[in-house]
Amino acid sequence: MLTDLQKEILKLKDEKNAIILAHNYQPKEIQEIADFLGDSLELCIKATEITDKDLVVFCGVDFMAETAFILNPKKKIVIPDKEAECPMAHMLTPEQIKEAKKRHPDAAVVLYVNSLASAKAEADILCTSSNALKVVESLKEDKILFGPDNNLARFVANQTDKEIIPIPEGGHCYVHKMFHEGDIIFKKEEHPDAEIIVHPECNEEVQKLADYVLSTGGMINQVKNSKSKEFIIGTEIDLITRINREIPEKKSYPLLNDAICKTMKLHTLEKVKNSLETEEYRIFVDEEIAKKSLSAVKKMIEVSK
Ligand code: 13P
Ligand code: SF4
């Protein structure tokens, strides 16, 4: 049952010919009013399909909304809370990439979509957690500068013959860094039959103990399609909220209850309503940077087909 505020938002959304896109880490009340919920790649692809809407309310972090803008520079893209930034995306500057390119002129630059628009402009191609290996394998170069997540870089390096050079040193997601081997051992004692699924942003030791290492979208599909009835899931807590809402016949447990991405939670129903009423806060990416990044985003979408 929707609350009065949720109903008001849906009415306003129709009046404004708007669409609400939300990442899988959004809280339950926002998941319930979103037109589309997805992982980073699914949201990028969705952003290429929005042709008939005047306003896009993006409930996610800055790099996701910026990518939607890069793909739709003429559309009004708004984010309910302008402080919703991904700290990892801010760990790699365009200057650091240029420096690394000087040291490795024969390397291709693959950037995780969790990066600044100005950094994306320096990339040959982007990737997300669901297509990183495929993207790397699609390139002719044998040497790859890969940033900013060192764990995703390692995840790819373990599955390819190419040389993967992580940039910058220590690039990480503080939420996924919270998980340790002991958490898996502890949870597995509580739920011995559960399948263990973790995100590639987790540390390598954690990945090694998992049955599957998948993007948030991949985790949902795994729970849907697996023969197992129980799952221990190592990612942000509200992905498990989504799984338990949509697949209640199976039991999914968070690896840690306090794995919370604080900036994802800055969006609230009140702020979504405000975005629809005031068309704030508009996302803009510098024209030159948007043009340069567009080719790297499009190449990734092409490779993912
Ligand atoms: P996904 O693309 O797997 O949803 O990951 C996004 C993210 O920010 C993970 O922390
Ligand atoms: Fe960024 Fe980590 Fe939050 Fe994902 S969970 S948006 S990588 S801080």
Side-chain angles (χ1 to χ4, degrees), residues 21-26 36-50 58-69 71-72 86 88-89 111-115 120 126-132 148-149 152 173 176 199-201 214-221 235-236 239 242 261 264 297-298 300-301 304:
L21 303 186
H23 185 263
N24 289 328
Y25 295 162
Q26 285 301 297
F36 183 81
L37 266 172
D39 68 13
S40 305
L41 180 64
E42 292 162 341
L43 288 166
C44 282
I45 292 170
K46 190 70 191 171
T48 63
E49 297 167 355
I50 309 162
F58 205 112
C59 300
V61 282
D62 53 352
F63 74 82
M64 297 175 178
E66 283 178 0
T67 310
F69 178 87
L71 287 160
N72 297 280
C86 166
M88 174 165 57
L111 281 201
Y112 193 21
V113 71
N114 301 38
S115 53
K120 287 185 174 79
L126 300 188
C127 74
T128 70
S129 55
S130 64
N131 61 16
D149 188 41
L152 182 62
C173 161
H176 291 87
H199 198 273
E201 288 174 15
L214 295 166
S215 72
T216 61
M219 290 173 168
I220 297 170
N221 291 334
T235 194
E236 212 272 351
L239 186 269
R242 178 173 173 193
C261 177
M264 280 277 184
V297 183
K298 278 189 168 168
M300 168 186 77
I301 294 175
S304 308

